[in-house]
Structures are given as structure tokens and as C-alpha cells.
Amino acid sequence: MKLTISKNELNDAIQQVAKAVSPRPAIPILGGIKIDVNHQYVTLTASDTDISIQSFVSVEQGDKIIAQIDKPGSVVLPAKFFVEIVKKLPSDQVAIEVTGQFQTVISSGSSEIQMVGLDPEEYPVLPSVDQNQMIQIPGDLIKSMIRQTVLAASTSEQTPILTGVLWNLNEGELKFTATDRHRLASRTTKVDLDSSYHFSNIVISAKTLVELSRLIPDQNTMVDVVVADNQVLFKVDNILFYTRILDGTYPDTSKIIPSSYETELVLNTKNLMDAIDRAYLMSREEKTNIVRLTTLESGGIEISSSSTELGRVTEQLDASQMSGQPLRIAFNSKYMLDVLKVIDSEQLFIGFTGAMRPIIIRPMDHDFSMYVILPYRTTG
Amino acid sequence: MKLTISKNELNDAIQQVAKAVSPRPAIPILGGIKIDVNHQYVTLTASDTDISIQSFVSVEQGDKIIAQIDKPGSVVLPAKFFVEIVKKLPSDQVAIEVTGQFQTVISSGSSEIQMVGLDPEEYPVLPSVDQNQMIQIPGDLIKSMIRQTVLAASTSEQTPILTGVLWNLNEGELKFTATDRHRLASRTTKVDLDSSYHFSNIVISAKTLVELSRLIPDQNTMVDVVVADNQVLFKVDNILFYTRILDGTYPDTSKIIPSSYETELVLNTKNLMDAIDRAYLMSREEKTNIVRLTTLESGGIEISSSSTELGRVTEQLDASQMSGQPLRIAFNSKYMLDVLKVIDSEQLFIGFTGAMRPIIIRPMDHDFSMYVILPYRTTG
């Protein structure tokens, strides 16, 4: 293997795949990044077995020559050092040559780096994914859907299935659901489909989805999604992102949502968030995060929290609309803030069916998302 | 105590003094911020006994009324919550009222916060400092002097005196020195003095000096420095910053500097820094940080490092000037990078008196700073 490549393009591709390298690889070769060179592409691959990322650098991009290939080939280079040294090389051009026994020489300007490479034949082969069925989602939409659901996924490995986000596709509606049994977030969107393609019980690690969103550029990109037996493949520009589907059956959450409410409120999202944020600061000192919401006879609501050591925060808020029974309810303010931060609507709806029943939160502008928080059982 | 004050001015003063609050205060009352209100100033005080910071907010600033004082008085409020809640208050104005038993009510817009305050009489009295003798240093100069010396201070509490920076004032020359016995940094400046004022063996914690520099604005400010028996007082704009002088006698470092050199180099600072930075990445993998510098017969130098696992980095550099004996020397690359990052000169001088003797580094543009690094004793 012998080539000369633009430092910036090589560095961009390295940074993209580097996210898949584990700091504690299961087998030593996964501590490396695999480089495959042919006359069309320089391909970088990294994997921690849960996720794998491949980035393809075209040798020619339009009129521009990105890489000069003298001899195709492959090698695996230790990731940590390779990732850091390439961005610090002195020249815009980097020459890479593999000599005997995978010894690799990287030259740039007056720097010469000899690296002990590893045998690419030992690198695990990426799973092949059948591309018969595919859905396409705009990049900024999938990023929003991820951001608006991962907050409710569990962070405890005691229930691995709940650390994921459930994906269902049915009658052209794609739905994401996450819950840790104390709260739930769901987000739907319409998908253009030629066929009656559908799937259910596809659960993808929330952490992995957050990694995926970081790879999706902010400007408009289409993301291709291919769901296979035990994994999902995402294609974003020149990147392939593979992730394992979590084992297990996701719990049925459809019965949580009440059909009618005893108390209904419409509130300004930002005002509610700021008030709960201040009450949260006080509640945090008690380690409980308990904040109370009380409807007032005057038509507004009161948000309050107290700490025996510190004192008390009391906030008065106007409601845009209010109907039903008077209410006094306690909840985890951190959970509520997580929801309020991702609600993309100036006004929101909150529905209650009593102080011990789930709290339902929806944006007023659209029906695509819904959040549920279980209240705290408190005295007084 | 009862007043209404502009939120921004109050918040700025709180953020300034908050740096002196310890997360684990020695006595409970030091977990608070003391507020003293009279008809001229609202004064905030915080202290962790090693450092104390006071910030003075003038009730009137020019034509602007910053605070409306209804009743002078004092109270101590728990720092952590107070620091965070004030910046999140909804209105530009904040009303603070102390009722019986130091119960404090903070009101802003539709927020009301009740806080359990503490008795200001229990708050330690700040030491009084005799202001007879004082030096004045421009803020940006003292910030540079701190930045260019603290890097060589020890971080080990085993030798407390070496965690400080030594200040000497003699014949109008102020000198900062820091050393951890492996490296040394010194920086001098001329100070305008009316008298023959001098001091020696004033040692101030490096960490404290870093805190002090963060309080000094970037635009031109004069810093007044008053040295007393066991402490130093800095006055920066509306802030008083008190620090304890470290106990003990600072070691004599004057004999480290050789009077002549066997090998002398003049190098481009940035090129040397970039080359050592790349070699450092490799040396770090070996946990030793060892990098070698070798003079070349062709007139330049070679910087290199190697790792049994990873490989080798080799860098060639031109020297602007080179004289004396050929040399091969090894040193800690992290120590050298720390020095190169603060050298404010395009070219630098390095002098050697042999592979086992101290390495001396100086900027070429001026004589105010000097750095020493002890070499590593290595084989081969």
C-alpha cells in the first residue's frame, strides 16, 4: 500500500470513524482503524462490535485529486495515536507507505513517523446488510426525533432493552418511543414509501443514536435507513454507520395514555421552563428534585419547591387556558425540564387525571410528539 | 436590611467573589456569601481562609442608580444556591429583604425566594492590611508574569513552599520565580517606585495567582499590590483580593544558571513547538514523555521519540544559529511544551552545558524571562 492524500480529507474521515473506536477494545485489533486503498476510494473502518463506522474518501472529487494511489492495499493502524498525529502533521499532503510486516511510514513535510501496523486480515468483516427495503429521512428531522426521545431512555444497564429507543414503522408512520418506566417520550413522522413496508420492535441504543446524530451534518442531508435481522445500517453522505439491534421485547406502552383529562392547562413553554428551572435549583439541594404545581383560583398556577436547610422558591404563572378540577401535584423537576427543553412549540398542553396519575405533555403546534411523566406520591 | 438592586450588577459581583467559596468550607458560615449594605455600597465577601475576595457595588454610578437602599444591614446567604438563582431571576431588578432571624426574601418579577440566612456577626473579620507601601503593576503585565511562571510550580503538597511563586522586589525590579526541582521559570519587570521599597521571600500559591489573573480584566487596568506580614492584598477595579503568604523559606535557585554554554542554538519557537508536540504524542504512549534532541552535522537539529509498541517520530528542524559542541540530549517533552507555549518571542535561545546539565531557554526578543529544564539521564 502506498499513497499520497490531502491531510484535511484524511483527517475528516478519521474523525468520523474514530467515534466507533472503544477506549477498551474487546480484541486488540479493534483498537485500530483499518485503511483500505483501491483506485477509487480510500476507506476507513472502525468498530467496537456494537457500532461500526465506515468513511469513504473518493480519490477524485470533481476536478480535484484528493489522493494519488501508487499501490492499493490495506493496513490497521493504532487508533489513538493515529487520530491525534494526523491533524498535527505539518504539510497539507500526507504520504503513507506500508512496507514489510505492516510497518507503516507516514511522511509530511519534515516529519517522518514509523508506525507498527497490524494485519488487516485479522480485522472483523462488517456484517452484510440486505438493501431491498429502505426508508429515507431528512437529516435534520431524524436529529430532532432522536433529541426529542433519548431523554426518556433508561441509563441503567439493569434493564438493557429500556436503554434503547423503540422504532416502529406502520402504514407509512415512523414512531420513536423511549421510556425508563418513570417517564416516556414519543415522536412520529410520515415517511414516503412505495410499498407497504413495515417493521416493529426495532430497538436501538439511545447512546448510539446520539453518536449517529453527531455524524449528520446540520445542512439538509438525506439519511438512508436499512433495517436487517439484527442490525440497522444508516447511510449519511460518504459514511456508513452500522448498529446492533438490542435483544428483547420492548414493553407495551400504549395503555399509559388516558382518553380524557380531569384538569387541562395550556402554558407558555419558555415561562414554565424558567419557573421550573428556578424551583429545580432549590429542589436539587434536597436530592429529591420534587417540585409542586398547584392550580390557583385566580386562574393561573403556582410552581414551588422547598428545602428544610435552604428555604423555599415560589413562582406564579399565568395560564393561557385552564379547565377542569383544581389540582395539586408533585413531580421530578429534572424530568420536566428535560421535556420542556425539547418541546418545539411556543405553547404547550398539560393534561392531568389526578395527583397520582401520569402527567401528559404535548406541544400545541403539532401532534407529532408526546411526553409522559409519572408524578411523585408525596404527603402534604 | 432592605434594598432593590440591578440584577446584572449584583450578579457580576457575586460571580467575582464566588471563586473564593470552598465547596467544602472549613466552618459552615464560609459556605456563604456575606452581604453588607450601607448608603454608599453593597459589599459582597467570600473567603476560604486562604483567599478572600470582596466586591464593592456603588449605589450610584454616575447618573445611574444601581441600588435603592431602604434599610442598611448585613446577612450571610448560602453561596451555592444564591450564586445560581440570581442569574436566573426573571426581572432586571431584585429586591432583597432580611426579616427576623436572618430570614431573607428575594423577589424578582413573579418569583419569590425565601432563604434561611446566617448571622453576619459569625463571619470571620478580614485581616487588616497596612497600606503604607504599595506597588502598581499594569493588569496585562501581571497576568503575563503569572502565566509565564506558574507552569513550573510544583503540584505536590509534599513540598508546600514549591507550590507557590516566589516574589522578590529589589532596586525597583520585581521578580517571579517558580520551580518544582525538575524545571524553573523566572520573569522580571521594572516597577516605578518613589522609595527604596523592597521585599524578599514572599511566596504566593500558584493556584491563587491563577484565580487572581481570572479576576483581572483584559483591557488596561492597574493592579495595586500591598505586601503585609503574612498576606498580600491586590486591588483590581472594585475588587479586593486577599491571599495568605506561604510559610517557609524558598530554596536558593541562583546557582542553577551556568555562566557559559558548550552548545548554543537559536530556533523558531513555533516550529520547535509543533515538532516537539508531535514527538510528545508518541512519547506519551510510553508514559515517560522522553524526547531526544540531536544536533546534525548539516547544521540543523533532529527531534525524535520512540515507543516499543507504536513506532517512532522523527522531525528535522533548521536552526537560525548554532555554535559549540555536537549534542544529544533527552528531556521531558511535556515540560518543554509548557515553556514553549508561554514564550512571547518568534525566536528563542537554547543553551546546553552537556547532556547531564540543565537546559536553559530564553526568548530572543527580551531578557525578562528565563526557563530551565533538567535533562533525563538515558542510555543509548
Side-chain angles (χ1 to χ4, degrees):
Chain A
M1 188 183 114
K2 188 176 176 189
L3 74 156
T4 307
I5 183 167
S6 147
K7 181 179 75 171
N8 287 341
E9 259 78 9
L10 175 63
N11 185 47
D12 287 351
I14 290 174
Q15 302 305 326
Q16 286 161 352
V17 303
K19 297 177 178 82
V21 180
S22 163
R24 286 168 298 280
I27 51 172
I29 196 133
L30 290 183
I33 290 176
K34 181 156 159 264
I35 308 175
D36 294 294
V37 176
N38 64 29
H39 288 290
Q40 282 77 50
Y41 295 105
V42 176
T43 307
L44 301 187
T45 307
S47 175
D48 67 359
T49 70
D50 280 343
I51 66 170
S52 305
I53 307 178
Q54 279 193 315
S55 180
F56 297 83
V57 182
S58 293
V59 163
E60 288 179 35
Q61 293 177 11
D63 290 348
K64 238 172 112 189
I65 305 291
I66 301 298
Q68 167 76 42
I69 311 300
D70 294 320
K71 192 176 164 195
S74 299
V75 72
V76 176
L77 295 178
K80 191 178 158 217
F81 177 74
F82 185 54
V83 166
E84 292 185 39
I85 195 74
V86 169
K87 65 181 154 200
K88 293 191 167 174
L89 289 174
S91 157
D92 290 342
Q93 294 292 316
V94 180
I96 306 179
E97 182 173 6
V98 178
T99 59
Q101 290 303 307
F102 311 109
Q103 283 291 329
T104 305
V105 179
I106 301 174
S107 316
S108 178
S110 55
S111 295
E112 188 185 282
I113 294 134
Q114 296 162 40
M115 285 183 79
V116 180
L118 299 167
D119 184 355
E121 294 292 321
E122 287 177 19
Y123 201 88
V125 176
L126 291 198
S128 65
V129 172
D130 179 11
Q131 300 221 9
N132 283 344
Q133 295 283 12
M134 185 183 86
I135 54 175
Q136 279 204 318
I137 313 174
D140 48 1
L141 174 60
I142 197 171
K143 283 172 80 145
S144 293
M145 293 180 71
I146 291 171
R147 197 170 84 91
Q148 292 172 339
T149 49
V150 290
L151 59 109
S154 173
T155 53
S156 158
E157 286 299 329
Q158 289 194 324
T159 46
I161 193 82
L162 295 186
T163 64
V165 174
L166 171 69
W167 289 37
N168 282 323
L169 176 66
N170 193 28
E171 294 182 358
E173 187 186 73
L174 178 67
K175 180 174 185 177
F176 288 12
T177 307
T179 181
D180 64 2
R181 297 196 195 276
H182 303 287
R183 49 186 167 163
L184 178 144
S186 77
R187 176 69 157 89
T188 57
T189 191
K190 290 282 167 201
V191 180
D192 286 332
L193 282 180
D194 295 336
S195 66
S196 62
Y197 181 46
H198 64 276
F199 54 72
S200 60
N201 202 46
I202 300 299
V203 186
I204 305 171
S205 154
K207 268 191 203 164
T208 297
L209 290 173
V210 172
E211 282 299 339
L212 171 68
S213 10
R214 292 197 183 120
L215 279 180
I216 301 172
D218 283 330
Q219 63 270 35
N220 241 351
T221 315
M222 287 307 281
V223 178
D224 297 350
V225 183
V226 181
V227 175
D229 278 354
N230 61 351
Q231 63 184 347
V232 181
L233 168 63
F234 299 91
K235 188 168 176 303
V236 186
D237 294 339
N238 61 323
I239 305 166
L240 292 184
F241 185 102
Y242 297 78
T243 175
R244 195 167 67 79
I245 294 172
L246 295 186
D247 294 328
T249 303
Y250 205 83
D252 179 13
T253 57
S254 61
K255 295 180 196 100
I256 292 177
I257 319 305
S259 51
S260 65
Y261 299 103
E262 289 180 10
T263 311
E264 299 189 1
L265 290 172
V266 176
L267 299 168
N268 177 287
T269 307
K270 171 100 173 56
N271 292 352
L272 179 64
M273 181 164 71
D274 290 348
I276 292 184
D277 196 19
R278 290 186 287 267
Y280 160 70
L281 283 182
M282 178 69 81
S283 70
R284 193 178 56 175
E285 298 295 315
E286 289 287 282
K287 313 261 192 279
T288 58
N289 291 346
I290 294 179
V291 162
R292 281 171 209 281
L293 183 155
T294 312
T295 54
L296 301 176
E297 282 188 27
S298 59
I301 63 165
E302 185 182 278
I303 298 290
S304 64
S305 67
S306 58
S307 149
T308 36
E309 296 256 311
L310 267 183
R312 183 178 166 85
V313 170
T314 314
E315 302 276 340
Q316 307 247 340
L317 251 86
D318 294 332
S320 310
Q321 292 173 44
M322 185 159 128
S323 60
Q325 304 297 314
L327 179 86
R328 183 172 161 79
I329 194 166
F331 52 83
N332 183 318
S333 51
K334 183 68 171 54
Y335 291 178
M336 185 62 87
L337 283 176
D338 287 347
V339 168
L340 298 177
K341 278 177 196 159
V342 300
I343 285 203
D344 48 0
S345 167
E346 201 184 317
Q347 300 273 320
L348 58 81
F349 165 89
I350 310 190
F352 307 88
T353 46
M356 297 302 165
R357 308 278 303 148
I359 304 168
I360 313 296
I361 306 136
R362 288 181 175 280
M364 285 296 283
D365 290 357
H366 60 82
D367 284 335
F368 298 123
S369 38
M370 193 205 51
Y371 303 91
V372 182
I373 295 174
L374 297 192
Y376 273 141
R377 197 177 290 265
T378 63
T379 51
Chain B
M1 187 184 113
K2 187 176 176 190
L3 73 158
T4 307
I5 184 168
S6 147
K7 181 179 76 172
N8 287 341
E9 259 77 10
L10 175 63
N11 186 47
D12 288 351
I14 290 174
Q15 302 304 325
Q16 286 161 353
V17 303
K19 297 177 178 82
V21 181
S22 163
R24 285 168 298 280
I27 51 172
I29 195 131
L30 291 182
I33 291 176
K34 182 156 158 263
I35 308 175
D36 293 294
V37 175
N38 63 30
H39 288 290
Q40 283 76 51
Y41 295 105
V42 175
T43 307
L44 301 186
T45 307
S47 175
D48 67 0
T49 70
D50 280 343
I51 65 170
S52 304
I53 307 178
Q54 278 193 315
S55 180
F56 297 84
V57 181
S58 294
V59 163
E60 289 179 33
Q61 293 178 11
D63 288 349
K64 239 173 112 188
I65 306 291
I66 302 298
Q68 168 76 42
I69 310 300
D70 295 319
K71 193 178 165 194
S74 299
V75 72
V76 175
L77 294 178
K80 192 179 159 216
F81 177 74
F82 185 54
V83 165
E84 292 183 40
I85 196 74
V86 170
K87 65 180 154 201
K88 294 191 165 172
L89 289 174
S91 157
D92 290 342
Q93 294 291 316
V94 180
I96 307 178
E97 181 173 5
V98 178
T99 57
Q101 291 301 310
F102 312 109
Q103 284 290 330
T104 305
V105 179
I106 301 174
S107 316
S108 179
S110 56
S111 295
E112 188 185 281
I113 294 132
Q114 294 163 42
M115 285 184 78
V116 180
L118 300 168
D119 184 354
E121 294 293 320
E122 287 178 18
Y123 201 87
V125 177
L126 291 197
S128 66
V129 172
D130 179 11
Q131 299 220 9
N132 282 344
Q133 296 282 11
M134 186 184 86
I135 55 175
Q136 279 203 319
I137 314 173
D140 49 0
L141 175 61
I142 197 171
K143 282 172 80 146
S144 294
M145 293 180 71
I146 291 171
R147 197 171 83 91
Q148 292 171 340
T149 49
V150 290
L151 60 108
S154 172
T155 52
S156 158
E157 286 298 329
Q158 289 195 324
T159 47
I161 193 80
L162 296 185
T163 64
V165 175
L166 172 68
W167 289 37
N168 282 324
L169 176 65
N170 193 28
E171 294 181 0
E173 188 186 72
L174 178 67
K175 181 174 184 177
F176 288 12
T177 307
T179 181
D180 64 2
R181 298 195 194 277
H182 304 287
R183 50 187 166 160
L184 178 144
S186 76
R187 176 71 157 89
T188 57
T189 191
K190 290 284 167 199
V191 180
D192 285 332
L193 283 180
D194 294 336
S195 65
S196 62
Y197 182 45
H198 63 276
F199 53 72
S200 60
N201 201 48
I202 300 299
V203 185
I204 305 172
S205 154
K207 267 192 203 163
T208 297
L209 289 173
V210 171
E211 282 299 339
L212 171 68
S213 26
R214 292 195 184 121
L215 279 180
I216 301 173
D218 284 329
Q219 62 272 34
N220 241 351
T221 315
M222 287 306 282
V223 178
D224 296 350
V225 183
V226 181
V227 175
D229 279 353
N230 60 352
Q231 62 185 345
V232 181
L233 168 63
F234 300 91
K235 188 168 176 303
V236 185
D237 294 338
N238 62 323
I239 305 166
L240 291 185
F241 185 102
Y242 297 78
T243 175
R244 196 166 67 80
I245 294 172
L246 295 186
D247 294 328
T249 304
Y250 205 83
D252 179 12
T253 58
S254 63
K255 294 181 196 98
I256 293 177
I257 321 305
S259 51
S260 65
Y261 299 103
E262 288 180 11
T263 311
E264 300 187 0
L265 291 172
V266 176
L267 299 168
N268 177 288
T269 307
K270 171 101 174 55
N271 292 351
L272 179 64
M273 182 163 72
D274 290 348
I276 292 184
D277 196 18
R278 289 184 289 266
Y280 160 71
L281 283 182
M282 178 68 82
S283 71
R284 193 178 56 175
E285 298 295 316
E286 289 287 281
K287 313 260 192 280
T288 58
N289 291 348
I290 293 179
V291 162
R292 281 171 209 280
L293 182 156
T294 312
T295 54
L296 301 176
E297 281 187 29
S298 59
I301 62 165
E302 185 182 279
I303 299 290
S304 65
S305 66
S306 58
S307 150
T308 35
E309 296 258 310
L310 268 182
R312 183 179 167 84
V313 170
T314 313
E315 302 275 340
Q316 307 249 339
L317 251 87
D318 294 332
S320 310
Q321 291 175 42
M322 186 159 128
S323 60
Q325 304 297 315
L327 179 86
R328 183 173 162 78
I329 195 166
F331 52 84
N332 183 318
S333 50
K334 183 69 171 54
Y335 291 177
M336 185 63 87
L337 283 176
D338 286 346
V339 168
L340 298 176
K341 279 177 195 158
V342 300
I343 285 202
D344 49 0
S345 168
E346 201 185 315
Q347 301 273 321
L348 58 79
F349 165 89
I350 309 191
F352 307 88
T353 47
M356 297 301 165
R357 309 279 304 148
I359 304 168
I360 312 296
I361 306 136
R362 288 179 175 280
M364 286 296 283
D365 290 356
H366 60 80
D367 284 334
F368 298 122
S369 37
M370 193 205 52
Y371 303 90
V372 181
I373 294 174
L374 297 192
Y376 273 141
R377 199 177 289 267
T378 64
T379 50

